[in-house]
Amino acid sequence: MPAKGYVEISVEGCKGCGLCVINCPTDCLALKTSETNSYGLHYAYMTDEDNCIACQNCAVICPDAAITVYKKAS
Amino acid sequence: MKEGYKLIYQKPKTLREKRMHYCPGCFHATTHKLMMEVVEELGIQEKIIGVCPVGCSVFAYDYMDVDMQEAAHGRAAAVATGIKRMHPDKIVFSYQGDGDLAAIGIAETIHACNRGENFTFIFINNGIYGMTGGQMAPTTLEGQKTTTSPYGRDPKKAGLPLKMCEIVSQFDSVAYVERVSCNTPANARKAKRAIKKAFEYQMQGLGSTFIEVASNCPSGWKCTPEESLEWLKEKAFPYFPLGVFKKPEEV
Amino acid sequence: MGEIKLMKGNEALAEAAIRAGLQGYFGYPITPQSEVVEYLAREEPKHNYVLLQAESEVAAVNMLYGAGGAGARVMTTTSSPGFSLMQEGISYIACAQIPCLFANIVRGGPGLGTIQPSQSDYFQATKGGGHGDYHLIVLAPNSVQEMVDHVYLGFELADKYRSPAMLLSDGAIGQMMEKVQLPDPIEYKPDKPWATTGKKPGQERNYLTSLYIQPEEMEEKNIELQAKFKKIEENEVRFEEYKTDDAKIIIVSFGLSSRISKKSVDMAREAGLKVGLFRPITVWPFPANKIADIAARKQVNFFISIEMNAGQMVEDVKLAVNGKKPVYFYGRMGGIIPTPKEILTAVQARSRS
C-alpha cells in the first residue's frame, strides 16, 4: 500500500508556476485559476487529498519552498 | 497538522522569510532552496560565507541566511578567493550567472580554478541575461533569439556557447565538476546531492568544486515555466549534457 | 625600540606592512612598484600573512574586497595603469565600507606612459577615482621613512573609519634608498563585528553590499558616507610647514616635489626672498582651512603650487585660497623631476611680475 500524505501550499508564497502540478505523479494538485493571491498570482492547491503518496516531488520542484509535506504515521 | 500525520518536508530554516523576487518557475529560486537545505543538513550555517554576483541573483543575500558579500560584476571568484584565503577553515561559495562567470568574469573563473581555490562555484546557466531584459549570454544557444541576437545567435558573429564544465574540468586543480538541472524532481534531487558533495569535498580541502545548474528563464525565453522545461530537454541538454565531468579519485 | 635600516622605499613599505600586522596581500607586478610584492614573497615563509599574485589588478582589488570584508588587515600596491584598473573595485569597497590599504607608486601617464616618477594621479586619488561620490583617505609620503609611517597610519585610519586608505607615492620614493627607523611589530587583533566570518548564533547574518536599488535608500547611504567624510575632514587633516611664519611667498607642494621645494625655500632665503613651504601630508582630506588662514595673512603675496603634473593640486589650493591671493603653478610632466634651481627660478619669475 503506498504511503499516504498531504501537502500544504502557502497561498502567498506560491507564484503559480505550475511545476508542482505537472510533476505530481498522482494528479492531486491544480492551479486555482479562478482566484489570485495578494500578488495577483494564481496559486496551486490540493484537489485530491486521498491520492497523495507523500513523495515530496511537488516540494522538491517548487522554486519558492511554498510547499510543506506531511505523511501519515505508520 | 492533521492528527496522525508527521512533517516530512518544510522550507529550510536557512532560507530567510523574505519573498524571493524571482519570476515564477525560475531555477535561481530552486537552487537557493536546495543550497540552503544542504547548509541546514550539514549544519554549516555558522561556517559558510557566500558571494553573490551581479545579475538576477544580485539580491541572493536577502534570501540566504548566511554571511555574504555582494561582488562587482564578474568578480565573485576573486572575492571568494580573498575570503577563503583569509578563512581556510570556513566553507565559501560563489553564486554566479552565465554573464558573470563566463563572460565578464571568465578570467577570474579560470584563474581561481587553475589555482585550485578551495571554494565552490554555483553556476546558474540559463543562456540569457535575465536581469537586464533578455540579452545574449556567452551560453546562449546557436540560433536562440534574444534581444541582442534578434535573428538567433549566429556563431560566425558571436561564437558558440561556452561549455564551462567542459572547460574547468581540464584543470588538475579542480576536484569536482558536475552539471545538474532542476527540471524534474529527480534532477533537482541530484542537484542537491551535487551541491552537498561539493561542500563536503571543499571541507576535505580537495580543491575547486564547480556545480553548473542548467537553468531556465521563462521571462527571458518568453515562454511559460512548463515550456521552459521542454526547451531545456530538447535544446539545452543536447548541447549542455548533464552529468559528472570530474570527481575526486577516491570517490 | 624599532630597528634602523637602509632600505628602498618599496621594500620599506612592504616591511612596514608586515610589522603593522598584514594578513593578506593581493597584487600584480608593475614597474616601479614590483619590489613590494617581491619583498613580501621573499619574507612570506617567516610570517603568517597570505600573499597572492593575482591574475590582474582587477582580480587583486576584488580579492582585497573579499579578504577585507572577511575582517582581515589587507593591502595591495600598484602603479598608475594598475590603479586605473582597480578603480571599479575601489568604488565598491568605498560604498561597502571595507577597511584596506592601497599604495599607488605613481608613474607618468596618460596611457602606458613612462615608468619614471610622476604626480599625475592626484585627481584620481583625491577626487574618488571611480564612479559615485566617495573619497579615500590619501596620504602623500615624501621620504622612505614616511613610506613606513604612513603604512601604519593608513591601516589605522582605514580601520577607524571603515574606509579604504591609500599612499599616493611615486616611482622615485619607491625606488630610492634611505635610512629608516622601523617600528616594532604589532600583534593585530581585528575588532570587526560587521565582517563576514560566518553567521553568529542568535545574531543577524552579516552581508556587505553596495547595492541599494531604491533611490531613497541609496541617498540615505550617500548621506551616511558623506557624514563620515566630513568627520574625516574635521579630524584627520595633516600637513607640514617650513618657514611659513614670515613668508611672503608660499610654495604648496606634496610628496616628492615638496622635498625638492624645501631646498628651493632655503635657496630663496639665501637670495633674500621670504619663501615658505606648505606641504599637505593628507591630500584628502585637503588642508584647505589652514591654507585659507595663511592666505589671510597680510604679508603673504602669492601662492605657487609645485607639482609633477600639469597642475592638479593647484585647483584645490585655489579653492582654499578662494581669491584672497593669486595662486600660480609650476610643474614638470611625463616623469621629469624638477630641480630646486628650476623651482626657485619659477618662484622668482612670479615674484618679479
Side-chain angles (χ1 to χ4, degrees):
Chain A
M1 198 182 83
K4 171 81 186 72
Y6 83 96
V7 301
E8 280 171 6
I9 303 176
S10 160
V11 170
E12 290 300 301
C14 176
K15 291 176 183 162
C17 70
L19 297 188
C20 58
V21 177
I22 59 174
N23 279 291
C24 176
T26 55
D27 295 327
C28 313
L29 304 172
L31 273 189
K32 197 155 230 166
T33 48
S34 57
E35 283 175 39
T36 63
N37 61 19
S38 71
Y39 298 94
L41 298 165
H42 299 308
Y43 53 88
Y45 72 109
M46 200 168 196
T47 52
D48 181 0
E49 241 179 65
D50 295 339
N51 280 325
C52 175
I53 55 169
C55 71
Q56 303 178 50
N57 277 4
C58 54
V60 169
I61 202 82
C62 174
D64 293 280
I67 304 178
T68 310
V69 187
Y70 300 91
K71 185 178 174 183
K72 190 162 193 172
S74 51
Chain B
M1 202 195 307
K2 274 207 284 196
E3 180 98 15
Y5 282 77
K6 60 176 183 186
L7 177 73
I8 57 167
Y9 178 85
Q10 66 178 342
K11 176 179 175 168
K13 292 193 171 61
T14 42
L15 204 56
R16 299 181 76 240
E17 282 307 313
K18 187 161 176 127
R19 180 187 167 89
M20 293 193 264
H21 70 282
Y22 302 115
C23 305
C26 176
F27 289 4
H28 267 304
T30 324
T31 308
H32 283 22
K33 179 192 69 173
L34 297 174
M35 286 171 71
M36 289 305 106
E37 286 177 11
V38 170
V39 168
E40 191 168 59
E41 282 169 26
L42 292 174
I44 54 173
Q45 190 180 15
E46 290 160 22
K47 285 192 199 155
I48 194 163
I49 305 161
V51 181
C52 50
V54 170
C56 280
S57 49
V58 70
F59 283 119
Y61 56 79
D62 271 348
Y63 312 129
M64 301 187 193
D65 198 13
V66 299
D67 275 9
M68 289 193 88
Q69 294 192 20
E70 212 295 306
H73 196 25
R75 315 299 168 220
V79 174
T81 297
I83 299 170
K84 185 71 185 192
R85 292 282 180 136
M86 292 299 109
H87 297 285
D89 54 327
K90 300 279 161 63
I91 300 117
V92 175
F93 68 86
S94 80
Y95 185 101
Q96 300 175 260
D98 40 42
D100 200 86
L101 180 139
I104 193 167
I106 197 166
E108 283 79 3
T109 305
I110 295 289
H111 283 279
C113 286
N114 190 44
R115 289 190 302 263
E117 295 293 345
N118 190 30
F119 66 81
T120 300
F121 290 87
I122 306 291
F123 169 40
I124 306 295
N125 172 12
N126 60 10
I128 203 157
Y129 284 20
M131 188 180 70
T132 44
Q135 296 83 11
M136 183 172 64
T139 49
T140 294
L141 294 170
E142 185 175 351
Q144 189 178 345
K145 287 180 181 166
T146 70
T147 59
T148 50
S149 59
Y151 311 106
R153 180 181 186 142
D154 176 2
K156 283 196 195 117
K157 242 172 98 178
L160 286 165
L162 276 168
K163 299 183 173 193
M164 290 311 300
C165 280
E166 287 81 345
I167 292 170
V168 300
S169 57
Q170 302 305 309
F171 294 104
D172 289 346
S173 44
V174 174
Y176 174 49
V177 182
E178 184 166 354
R179 187 182 285 123
V180 297
S181 190
C182 302
N183 64 317
T184 63
N187 277 342
R189 287 184 171 99
K190 269 192 200 167
K192 181 176 164 182
R193 277 199 293 276
I195 293 164
K196 194 170 186 175
K197 271 190 279 179
F199 287 167
E200 284 169 343
Y201 294 147
Q202 185 188 151
M203 284 148 83
Q204 293 165 35
L206 300 184
S208 305
T209 43
F210 191 98
I211 306 299
E212 174 174 336
V213 184
S215 290
N216 63 347
C217 182
S219 299
W221 296 356
K222 311 213 182 313
C223 62
T224 65
E226 188 174 353
E227 286 162 354
S228 77
L229 306 189
E230 289 304 309
W231 169 276
L232 276 171
K233 228 162 73 185
E234 284 168 20
K235 304 279 174 65
F237 295 163
Y239 190 84
F240 293 119
L242 305 185
V244 177
F245 289 80
K246 194 170 184 186
K247 62 181 180 182
E249 268 166 27
E250 71 273 16
V251 183
Chain C
M1 127 100 212
E3 188 183 346
I4 291 174
K5 269 190 161 181
L6 180 69
M7 289 186 98
K8 210 174 194 183
N10 284 338
E11 295 188 336
L13 183 158
E15 177 61 32
I18 297 171
R19 287 169 182 250
L22 180 75
Q23 293 173 309
Y25 175 93
F26 306 89
Y28 190 81
I30 182 171
T31 308
Q33 164 277 155
S34 302
E35 293 83 2
V36 180
V37 57
E38 287 170 347
Y39 186 92
L40 289 171
R42 231 167 26 237
E43 294 294 309
E44 191 187 11
K46 296 186 219 158
H47 302 279
N48 279 327
Y49 60 83
V50 169
L51 171 109
L52 185 55
Q53 181 173 329
E55 61 270 29
S56 68
E57 285 90 349
V58 175
V61 70
N62 285 286
M63 290 170 182
L64 206 70
Y65 177 102
R73 175 159 273 191
V74 291
M75 178 176 85
T76 189
T77 57
T78 185
S79 182
S80 307
F83 201 55
S84 289
L85 280 171
M86 290 182 181
Q87 291 306 320
E88 177 203 39
I90 297 173
S91 174
Y92 282 66
I93 283 171
C95 189
Q97 305 194 74
I98 294 170
C100 54
L101 187 63
F102 293 85
N104 182 358
I105 311 300
V106 180
R107 56 191 251 184
L112 199 48
T114 168
I115 58 172
Q116 297 304 320
S118 176
Q119 298 181 322
S120 50
D121 296 353
Y122 176 91
F123 280 150
Q124 186 190 44
T126 60
K127 308 296 173 188
H131 59 282
D133 280 320
Y134 70 91
H135 288 284
L136 286 83
I137 299 166
V138 190
L139 304 164
N142 78 354
S143 64
V144 175
Q145 183 63 51
E146 283 189 344
M147 290 285 263
V148 171
D149 300 342
H150 288 185
V151 166
Y152 271 68
L153 179 61
F155 273 136
E156 193 188 304
L157 294 175
D159 276 3
K160 185 175 172 188
Y161 293 99
R162 266 192 75 178
S163 168
M166 75 172 282
L167 270 61
L168 181 67
S169 186
D170 68 73
I173 296 167
Q175 294 295 323
M176 71 188 181
M177 293 185 84
E178 281 187 311
K179 186 181 85 173
V180 280
Q181 180 156 22
L182 296 163
D184 291 329
I186 57 172
E187 204 187 319
Y188 182 61
K189 289 208 177 70
D191 175 25
K192 299 171 179 170
W194 48 264
T196 59
T197 54
K199 188 178 185 292
K200 315 276 178 309
Q203 286 180 25
E204 280 287 302
R205 78 210 185 291
N206 284 339
Y207 66 95
L208 296 167
T209 187
S210 58
L211 174 69
Y212 300 89
I213 206 127
Q214 298 302 331
E216 293 80 9
E217 287 175 25
M218 192 71 246
E219 186 177 49
E220 202 179 305
K221 175 53 67 176
N222 270 287
I223 290 168
E224 178 195 331
L225 291 173
Q226 291 302 320
K228 178 172 87 173
F229 297 142
K230 191 156 181 286
K231 214 168 130 192
I232 297 171
E233 282 178 319
E234 282 164 6
N235 298 317
E236 305 302 343
V237 169
R238 285 167 173 79
F239 55 86
E240 190 178 69
E241 289 178 87
Y242 182 64
K243 298 184 179 171
T244 53
D245 283 351
D246 63 341
K248 293 182 171 176
I249 299 164
I250 306 289
I251 292 178
V252 187
S253 193
F254 73 97
L256 181 65
S257 54
S258 70
R259 242 177 115 120
I260 305 164
S261 297
K262 198 170 178 182
K263 175 80 181 162
S264 309
V265 168
D266 290 339
M267 290 163 75
R269 295 258 168 186
E270 275 168 35
L273 213 54
K274 281 190 176 167
V275 181
L277 169 68
F278 183 86
R279 175 203 164 207
I281 294 172
T282 51
V283 282
W284 196 90
F286 191 72
N289 292 342
K290 186 67 200 181
I291 289 178
D293 289 348
I294 295 171
R297 289 178 196 161
K298 229 179 182 152
Q299 85 269 13
V300 171
N301 292 332
F302 67 85
F303 289 78
I304 181 164
S305 187
I306 306 295
E307 304 172 51
M308 287 159 54
N309 57 41
Q312 300 191 12
M313 184 180 68
V314 66
E315 294 190 4
D316 287 333
V317 179
K318 279 182 180 169
L319 284 170
V321 171
N322 200 17
K324 285 200 274 277
K325 297 286 158 63
V327 178
Y328 304 112
F329 167 75
Y330 179 77
R332 296 295 301 266
M333 295 175 286
I336 301 289
I337 304 172
T339 63
K341 180 83 197 3
E342 204 179 329
I343 295 169
L344 176 63
T345 307
V347 171
Q348 283 169 329
R350 287 297 177 189
S351 175
R352 275 193 297 272
S353 63

